[in-house]
Amino acid sequence: LEAHETKVCEFRPVPCEFKQCLEKPMAKDRPDHVQNCKYRPVDCRNKSSGCGDNMTFVEEQAHAQICEYRLVECRYFSTGCAVKICYNQAQEHARVCGYRKQQCEYVPLGCDQTDCYAQDLAKHELECRYRPVECDFKFRGCTTKPSFSEKDDHQAKCRFRFEFPRYWANSDEHNFQQMVLSRGLEPFEQMAQATYVSKPTRDRPCPVNKCADIPRGGCEHVLAGGDPG
């Protein structure tokens, strides 16, 4: 009977295999008890996120609340970010999150965008009407950078302002490299006719080969009215 009670009987009390546990389930219930014992060793529930801690089941409940690898919502969840990230990476994510609010760098110049999403800020600043732009007359020496919205007013009064001839295509661009002559050679022909002066020069040789020493202004054979003239 003693051997039966101490070694065989399914109803005898037996200690749990985990030292911290003080319970003594019946022998027939021991496997189920061990499987569910609150002192059984378990991995942190955030093991897949990187936590390598191992502890008892009862300790894991408290550990999970402070685990560096627990998943948390981005601090900008309320403004649209749906990312869930490890607690130990949340601060770095928040620093670059596209849903954080930022102000346009041109607010001091008049822009009222003070709560723009970071992911939209670059596009806004490229198009912001208060962004500084170069004057089209920079090539003539203007160093002023008016805001985009004031550029036309500035250029209308700019002291470096210059009007290109209308016969140059793209003259409104104020960029000489982009211009092309749009009416053939007519303007140049008109210019040549208007500025032509009938005047011989010393570098023209004597057309009849009689003058060895050509004076300044050309020899008598190249003068107006000369032979051949």
Side-chain angles (χ1 to χ4, degrees):
L1 180 62
E2 182 180 352
H4 168 79
E5 290 178 345
T6 58
K7 297 181 179 180
V8 180
C9 183
E10 293 184 347
F11 293 92
R12 73 187 186 281
V14 292
C16 175
E17 69 178 66
F18 305 118
K19 293 181 179 180
Q20 290 176 279
C21 183
L22 300 179
E23 293 188 37
K24 291 186 176 183
M26 290 184 290
K28 69 182 182 66
D29 297 329
R30 189 172 185 271
D32 288 340
H33 168 80
V34 169
Q35 186 175 356
N36 297 289
C37 181
K38 62 183 180 180
Y39 292 102
R40 69 187 183 277
V42 294
D43 292 325
C44 173
R45 69 186 65 182
N46 300 308
K47 181 178 180 180
S48 61
S49 298
C51 184
D53 289 353
N54 186 272
M55 65 215 78
T56 65
F57 176 80
V58 71
E59 291 171 337
E60 196 274 342
Q61 310 300 308
H63 168 81
Q65 303 302 312
I66 60 172
C67 179
E68 290 289 305
Y69 294 91
R70 70 188 184 276
L71 294 181
V72 295
E73 292 176 340
C74 171
R75 72 174 65 171
Y76 300 110
F77 173 80
S78 61
T79 58
C81 184
V83 170
K84 286 193 173 183
I85 194 166
C86 289
Y87 176 81
N88 59 5
Q89 298 174 359
Q91 186 172 349
E92 177 61 21
H93 167 77
R95 190 179 67 82
V96 298
C97 180
Y99 287 91
R100 72 191 187 280
K101 295 294 187 71
Q102 291 186 311
Q103 73 173 29
C104 173
E105 74 171 284
Y106 306 121
V107 164
L109 301 180
C111 182
D112 61 0
Q113 291 295 319
T114 58
D115 59 351
C116 189
Y117 286 135
Q119 62 188 7
D120 301 327
L121 186 62
K123 182 177 184 296
H124 164 77
E125 289 181 345
L126 285 175
E127 300 173 349
C128 181
R129 57 194 301 268
Y130 292 95
R131 71 188 186 277
V133 293
E134 291 180 343
C135 174
D136 287 345
F137 302 112
K138 177 184 177 182
F139 74 100
R140 291 183 61 82
C142 183
T143 58
T144 300
K145 288 188 174 183
S147 67
F148 178 79
S149 61
E150 297 175 341
K151 180 179 178 180
D152 290 342
D153 289 341
H154 163 76
Q155 291 184 168
K157 303 173 183 177
C158 182
R159 66 190 183 93
F160 294 95
R161 188 169 181 270
F162 175 78
E163 292 294 333
F164 290 98
R166 303 311 299 173
Y167 50 78
W168 286 97
N170 301 327
S171 60
D172 290 338
E173 299 296 327
H174 301 291
N175 185 338
F176 188 78
Q177 293 182 348
Q178 299 299 321
M179 298 182 196
V180 293
L181 190 62
S182 62
R183 293 204 323 243
L185 297 177
E186 179 184 351
F188 289 104
E189 292 173 353
Q190 293 174 353
M191 185 185 302
Q193 292 296 327
T195 59
Y196 176 74
V197 177
S198 179
K199 182 178 180 180
T201 58
R202 187 176 184 178
D203 61 338
R204 183 181 175 188
C206 177
V208 294
N209 295 320
K210 291 185 177 180
C211 302
D213 186 16
I214 299 177
R216 185 174 183 178
C219 70
E220 59 181 306
H221 298 99
V222 300
L223 298 176
D227 183 20

